[in-house]
Amino acid sequence: MKLPKIHLNKDYADSILFVPAMLDMHFPLLKYAFYSKDYYPVVMSDEDGITDIGLKYINHDMCYPLSQIVGQMVKALDSGKYDVSKVKLLMPTAGDACRGANYTGALRRSMELAGYGDRPVLTLNVRDYEPENMMKFNLPMVWRSMFGMYYCDILMVLLYQTRPYEKVKGQADRCWRKWINRMSRDMITGNNLSLLYMHRNFRLMCKDFAKIRDAVPHKKKQVIGLVGELYVKYCSLGNWDVIDFIEKNGSEVHVNPLSYYAIYYMDSHMVRKHNLEAKGARLLMKLLEILQKDMIKALEQYGFFSLPPYWQFKKEAHGYVNYNLRNGDGWLIGAEAVGYIKHGVEKVFAAQPFGCMVNHCAGRGLYPSLTRKLKKGYIVSTDVDASASKLNYYNRLLMLMHGL
């Protein structure tokens, strides 16, 4: 498919779209799916003082990620860098309970309190939640999103499994940036966004990182599996830089690709309907499954670790998790913990926002049962929150890494 070239000039777009920081390893490419005549995306990145700003406008008992999102957006609006009259705020939602529905209203209320009540808050969901406030998207945006997701998935896995073994510090990061820059050009121009190119690039990426990893003989380090709610799993702001902490303390980390969440969401939410939308979701889900299998095959071909493809992964969790827990990340959290332990990653760190009902019901409440049934493995869960102690958080992680 040859896609039209996208424009990167903010004066070209009708609106400046504030996108919350949620996917550190994915937004470098996924952001190109948002560029259009309608939107010029700005991914929030400022971290200085945002918690205190956010807590001025939301209740402290609300989920930690919301305080970060509100703090970043208010600070950006106050900065004077943007034409506020053109700014719209994006809140991606699952469209179900917890953050999936509550965050949009909470963000609007926060903007009113901060003096920006006239700024529209858009939703990005596929559940027809607030259809009047839905962000506009089309087929080219979906196609770019698919390529951005899978390229960033494999690059994330490769980076995390190569960086602990690099001979020269910074080699793995430079290799990651090289591929991000190369894929960015394709995302902007619309060139080479074909399934054949993706198949080839998967293997070229793996080959590049394998050269760095295998440059010198090395002993395999212990691997920590990271699970949890979407924001704290993929955003360093949400998990307090846990990836960096684990690597600096002599271990390797594995974070499951975002494509598992995408397929899980379609499987657990969308295909249950009996309409045209559900039929389209089934076709897209089938394509995502094929691409995921190809990605995993490439990783394994070059000696990198991955959990099994989605349907095998789900089948292996049968009897350990309740598939009826579908709110937010739902049963996926426990299933990832099961998958890691079954496939040799026997130490799992679960980061969760304090008071997150999904994490506490489908995660923390399940972990003792999982380890008893599996008869092996360790799962340590710790809360992230504005009032929580980072010292306690890191100490529990160190206990998992060195004390168990």
Side-chain angles (χ1 to χ4, degrees):
M1 177 183 289
K2 179 67 172 71
L3 300 183
K5 183 177 180 178
I6 59 176
H7 298 267
L8 305 182
N9 187 341
K10 66 180 178 181
D11 295 326
Y12 168 82
D14 294 335
S15 303
I16 299 171
L17 187 68
F18 282 5
V19 182
M22 294 178 67
L23 305 167
D24 292 350
M25 298 300 293
H26 292 78
F27 273 152
L29 292 183
L30 271 182
K31 66 183 180 183
Y32 295 114
F34 293 94
Y35 284 98
S36 68
K37 184 66 177 69
D38 296 305
Y39 308 114
Y40 177 87
V42 177
V43 179
M44 300 288 96
S45 59
D46 197 340
E47 299 183 11
D48 187 29
I50 61 166
T51 301
D52 290 337
I53 295 172
L55 291 177
K56 290 180 182 179
Y57 306 109
I58 68 162
N59 190 299
H60 182 268
D61 290 335
M62 296 192 75
C63 188
Y64 174 70
L66 181 59
S67 67
Q68 309 307 291
I69 292 170
V70 170
Q72 284 186 318
M73 289 188 171
V74 171
K75 188 173 183 182
L77 287 166
D78 286 343
S79 69
K81 295 179 181 178
Y82 307 99
D83 180 353
V84 175
S85 67
K86 291 185 67 176
V87 170
K88 293 181 179 179
L89 315 177
L90 179 66
M91 180 54 68
T93 70
D96 51 23
C98 200
R99 183 175 72 218
N102 297 339
Y103 269 30
T104 1
L107 181 57
R108 287 195 186 98
R109 176 60 177 158
S110 300
M111 290 303 115
E112 288 176 10
L113 294 173
Y116 299 107
D118 60 337
R119 292 301 84 217
V121 175
L122 306 182
T123 69
L124 178 60
N125 70 87
V126 289
R127 298 290 304 279
D128 297 323
Y129 170 67
E130 292 196 358
E132 69 280 6
N133 295 311
M134 280 278 287
M135 176 188 168
K136 301 175 186 176
F137 59 91
N138 52 36
L139 182 58
M141 293 173 73
V142 173
W143 193 256
R144 279 189 168 94
S145 295
M146 183 178 72
F147 276 78
M149 178 177 72
Y150 272 110
Y151 281 144
C152 288
D153 267 357
I154 195 168
L155 287 171
M156 176 184 72
V157 172
L158 291 169
L159 178 64
Y160 292 166
Q161 293 185 39
T162 301
R163 193 162 52 195
Y165 306 102
E166 61 189 6
K167 181 180 180 181
V168 179
K169 186 173 176 58
Q171 273 185 306
D173 284 311
R174 284 192 292 274
C175 187
W176 179 84
R177 282 194 296 272
K178 179 190 83 172
W179 278 103
I180 289 293
N181 291 337
R182 184 180 299 182
M183 294 301 100
S184 293
R185 289 194 294 271
D186 287 348
M187 296 285 281
I188 292 168
T189 62
N191 295 330
N192 305 325
L193 297 184
S194 72
L195 303 185
L196 183 62
Y197 268 93
M198 181 183 284
H199 172 84
R200 187 197 69 168
N201 284 333
F202 280 165
R203 282 143 187 86
L204 291 175
M205 291 171 177
C206 291
K207 185 177 180 180
D208 264 9
F209 279 92
K211 286 179 183 176
I212 298 172
R213 181 199 59 193
D214 301 334
V216 291
H218 59 264
K219 182 181 179 182
K220 180 70 174 175
K221 298 185 177 185
Q222 77 165 341
V223 183
I224 306 296
L226 176 64
V227 303
E229 179 269 340
L230 193 75
Y231 187 94
V232 298
K233 185 165 66 172
Y234 294 114
C235 180
S236 60
L237 181 61
N239 60 42
W240 290 345
D241 294 305
V242 72
I243 308 293
D244 183 60
F245 186 84
I246 289 172
E247 291 183 356
K248 284 182 176 177
N249 281 274
S251 294
E252 176 188 333
V253 67
H254 190 278
V255 181
N256 211 26
L258 182 64
S259 53
Y260 283 80
Y261 179 86
I263 301 173
Y264 150 81
Y265 189 79
M266 292 181 184
D267 173 37
S268 60
H269 290 70
M270 295 180 65
V271 300
R272 295 170 178 270
K273 298 179 181 179
H274 300 284
N275 55 20
L276 188 60
E277 184 182 274
K279 290 179 180 178
R282 290 188 190 98
L283 288 173
L284 180 57
M285 185 169 69
K286 189 65 178 177
L287 177 58
L288 295 184
E289 292 166 29
I290 292 170
L291 296 178
Q292 187 184 70
K293 287 179 181 178
D294 190 44
M295 177 183 72
I296 293 170
K297 187 175 180 180
L299 287 167
E300 292 177 343
Q301 180 182 340
Y302 285 87
F304 292 98
F305 170 79
S306 174
L307 290 178
Y310 177 81
W311 288 106
Q312 181 185 341
F313 159 84
K314 180 180 179 181
K315 184 177 180 181
E316 290 181 359
H318 181 73
Y320 296 96
V321 300
N322 184 341
Y323 296 132
N324 289 321
L325 291 172
R326 300 192 300 271
N327 286 338
D329 303 74
W331 59 261
L332 183 68
I333 301 171
E336 286 186 350
V338 170
Y340 284 132
I341 294 171
K342 279 194 169 186
H343 289 274
V345 180
E346 296 193 7
K347 292 186 176 182
V348 177
F349 185 70
Q352 57 198 20
F354 173 74
C356 173
M357 293 305 293
V358 171
N359 270 254
H360 282 271
C361 296
R364 174 173 281 181
L366 193 62
Y367 299 144
S369 168
L370 295 183
T371 51
R372 284 196 302 269
K373 289 179 179 178
L374 290 164
K375 295 184 172 59
K376 60 179 180 179
Y378 302 94
I379 306 173
V380 169
S381 61
T382 305
D383 292 346
V384 287
D385 187 65
S387 63
S389 164
K390 287 190 178 182
L391 178 63
N392 182 58
Y393 176 84
Y394 290 131
N395 280 342
R396 289 181 66 82
L397 179 52
L398 287 171
M399 178 184 69
L400 174 67
M401 294 167 65
H402 304 306
L404 295 176

